[in-house]
Amino acid sequence: MAAAARPRLVRALPMSRSSVTAVAASVFHRPVQRQLHHAVIPHGRSGRSSVSGVVATVFGATGFLGRYVVNHLGRMGSQVIVPYRCEPYDVMHLRPMGDLGQIIFLEWNGRNKDSIRRAVEHSNVVINLVGREWETKNFDFEDVFVTIPQAIAQVSREAGVEKFIHISHLNADIKSSSRYLRSKAVGEKEVRNAFPEAIIIKPSDIFGREDRFLNYFANMRWFGGVPLVSLGKKTVKQPVYVVDVSKGIVNAIKEPDATGKTFAFVGPNRYLLFDLVQYIFAVAHRPFFPYPLPHFAYRLIARLFETSPFEPWTTRDKVERVHITDVTLPHLPGLEDLGIQAVPLELKAIEVLRRHRTYRWLASEIEDVKPAKTVNV
C-alpha cells in the first residue's frame, strides 16, 4: 500500500523550479536573489544604442538635476524608469534622452509603498532626487526629505536593489537654523538605517541653466537692488556645476568601491557671497546695487512672498539657506575620487546668465568680466 501511495503523492504535488525557490524563501525568510534579465545583460559598443546593464529608477527625474542624470544614463545605454506625479506632457522632454523604449514613464504615489515597489521591482539601481524648495499644504520638508526617502530605501532593500543613491545637501545638519537642512540631515540617517549600503551624495548649491541659485540672485534686480544680510560678507559659498554632479552620480553607479560611502560634491572655488553676487551682475551686465538688510526684516519680506498661491520667489527658509556658509568636509571623498575634475563657475556662468542681459550686451564675451574673488579653504 505504501509503495502504491508514493507515486500518487509525487504526482499530486508538481512544483516548478521557481515554485521551489519561492517556498524555500518563505521558509527561511531570505530575500530572493533576482537574476538579471537577458535583455539587460551588457552588450554592444558603448553608446545610446548599446545596453549598459543598468536599469535605473530615478525618483525626482522631472526636476532640475533629474534631467541631467537621465540624459547621462540614457547616453550610456541604460534603461531608465521615470516615476512622475505631474502631467504626462511635463515629462516628454525626457523621452528622447534614451534609445527607443529605454525611457519608461510610470505614475507613482510617494505615500504608497505598493506604488514605489512597482517602480523599483525590475531595477538594479535606484536614485532618489526627490526635493522641494518650499513647503506646501500637501508636502512639508519632513515628507519630502525624510518619510518618502525612507520608504523608497526600505522598499528598494526589500526588492533586492543592488545600488541605492540618495541626494542630500552639503550643509545638512540637525542643528541648522534651516528646517530644509535639518530635514535633509534626518533623511540621511533614516536612509542609512533602511539601506546600510546606500551611497549618499552631499552637493553644495548647484548651478546650471535651470537652477534656483544664479538665476535667483540675477532676478533680484527687479526689486531695485540686492538685499543681503550683512552685505553677504559673512557668508562663503562653494557652488558646483550640475553636469559634474550628474556625472558623479553615474560614476558612483559604476564604481564598486562607492557602496556604503558618503560623498561631498563641491566646486573648485569658494567665494564670499558679496563677491559672488557682484560677479553674477557683472556677467549679466546689470547694475549692482547691494544694500544691507537686517535678518528679521528679510524674513518678514519672505513671509509675504510665502502667501503667493504660485511658486514663491523666496521663503524664510530660503533666506536662512542662502546666508549659511558652506562647510568643508575634507574627510569625505569627492568628485575627484570618482574621476571628475570640477568645472569652475567662471567657465559656465555665461550659459545661465546670458538670458538676463539686455540686447546691447547679448553677444558680449565672458572675457570682458573680471573673475570673482576667491576665498582660501
Side-chain angles (χ1 to χ4, degrees):
M1 292 291 292
R6 190 177 298 126
R8 286 197 298 271
L9 180 61
V10 174
R11 288 194 299 269
L13 296 173
M15 297 183 69
S16 64
R17 181 176 301 178
S18 59
S19 302
V20 173
T21 305
V23 171
S26 63
V27 172
F28 296 103
H29 303 286
R30 293 178 181 176
V32 179
Q33 295 296 324
R34 299 181 301 172
Q35 294 183 353
L36 194 64
H37 192 271
H38 68 85
V40 295
I41 294 176
H43 64 269
R45 299 177 181 178
S46 61
R48 193 177 299 270
S49 296
S50 64
V51 176
S52 68
V54 174
V55 180
T57 299
V58 183
F59 292 95
T62 56
F64 166 46
L65 177 59
R67 67 184 64 196
Y68 292 88
V69 174
V70 172
N71 187 40
H72 279 103
L73 288 171
R75 187 182 300 175
M76 62 186 256
S78 303
Q79 189 175 82
V80 184
I81 293 89
V82 179
Y84 69 94
R85 298 189 308 113
C86 54
E87 290 292 328
Y89 291 105
D90 294 334
V91 297
M92 288 300 101
H93 63 282
L94 301 175
R95 187 177 293 278
M97 293 183 180
D99 203 11
L100 186 63
Q102 291 295 84
I103 309 295
I104 302 169
F105 300 98
L106 182 70
E107 290 190 59
W108 79 298
N109 181 355
R111 293 192 171 105
N112 187 333
K113 287 192 175 182
D114 290 333
S115 175
I116 299 173
R117 187 172 292 106
R118 187 167 61 252
V120 305
E121 62 183 351
H122 299 296
S123 302
N124 50 24
V125 174
V126 173
I127 303 172
N128 176 40
L129 305 176
V130 174
R132 192 71 169 177
E133 282 279 313
W134 65 94
E135 295 181 290
T136 66
K137 64 179 181 180
N138 296 322
F139 292 94
D140 58 19
F141 286 146
E142 185 177 356
D143 292 329
V144 175
F145 299 131
V146 181
T147 307
I148 293 177
Q150 181 187 27
I152 295 174
Q154 183 178 356
V155 172
S156 298
R157 178 74 172 177
E158 294 170 356
V161 171
E162 297 173 14
K163 283 203 172 183
F164 182 84
I165 299 179
H166 174 70
I167 307 302
S168 182
H169 194 281
L170 182 71
N171 296 327
D173 187 353
I174 196 64
K175 297 181 181 179
S176 175
S177 59
S178 164
R179 188 160 183 248
Y180 176 103
L181 296 175
R182 292 197 302 271
S183 300
K184 283 279 192 178
V186 176
E188 284 184 26
K189 182 179 178 181
E190 295 299 330
V191 166
R192 184 66 75 191
N193 290 337
F195 202 119
E197 299 84 11
I199 301 170
I200 295 178
I201 294 176
K202 298 164 69 74
S204 58
D205 293 305
I206 303 174
F207 68 91
R209 290 179 184 268
E210 310 87 356
D211 70 13
R212 290 191 175 95
F213 184 68
L214 298 185
N215 286 310
Y216 170 78
F217 290 112
N219 284 324
M220 283 184 174
R221 69 182 186 275
W222 298 109
F223 298 93
V226 183
L228 295 171
V229 176
S230 302
L231 273 179
K233 294 187 177 182
K234 295 182 179 180
T235 305
V236 179
K237 291 294 181 181
Q238 194 172 357
V240 62
Y241 187 39
V242 62
V243 174
D244 293 338
V245 177
S246 176
K247 288 180 179 178
I249 292 172
V250 173
N251 285 7
I253 296 174
K254 302 175 184 177
E255 179 58 54
D257 295 334
T259 303
K261 290 184 179 179
T262 300
F263 292 84
F265 288 0
V266 295
N269 298 323
R270 292 172 67 85
Y271 312 90
L272 282 177
L273 183 60
F274 176 87
D275 295 328
L276 178 60
V277 178
Q278 185 179 35
Y279 176 75
I280 291 171
F281 276 74
V283 174
H285 285 278
R286 296 284 185 171
F288 178 56
F289 299 121
Y291 58 90
L293 190 65
H295 188 265
F296 76 91
Y298 211 149
R299 286 179 58 86
L300 181 61
I301 295 172
R303 179 68 182 89
L304 297 177
F305 279 103
E306 289 178 10
T307 61
S308 170
F310 307 103
E311 178 181 337
W313 174 71
T314 191
T315 63
R316 287 169 291 178
D317 200 88
K318 177 86 170 182
V319 171
E320 296 290 342
R321 298 199 307 272
V322 163
H323 293 92
I324 291 177
T325 294
D326 287 345
V327 298
T328 56
L329 302 172
H331 62 286
L332 294 181
L335 289 169
E336 296 79 8
D337 297 276
L338 293 171
I340 298 168
Q341 187 67 34
V343 176
L345 172 74
E346 290 80 1
L347 294 182
K348 296 296 180 179
I350 187 63
E351 296 181 1
V352 185
L353 300 172
R354 189 184 296 277
R355 70 186 187 90
H356 293 278
R357 292 178 170 184
T358 60
Y359 176 77
R360 176 184 176 186
W361 300 104
L362 195 61
S364 178
E365 297 298 331
I366 195 172
E367 288 78 8
D368 299 339
V369 180
K370 184 178 179 181
K373 298 178 182 178
T374 59
V375 177
N376 294 329
V377 178

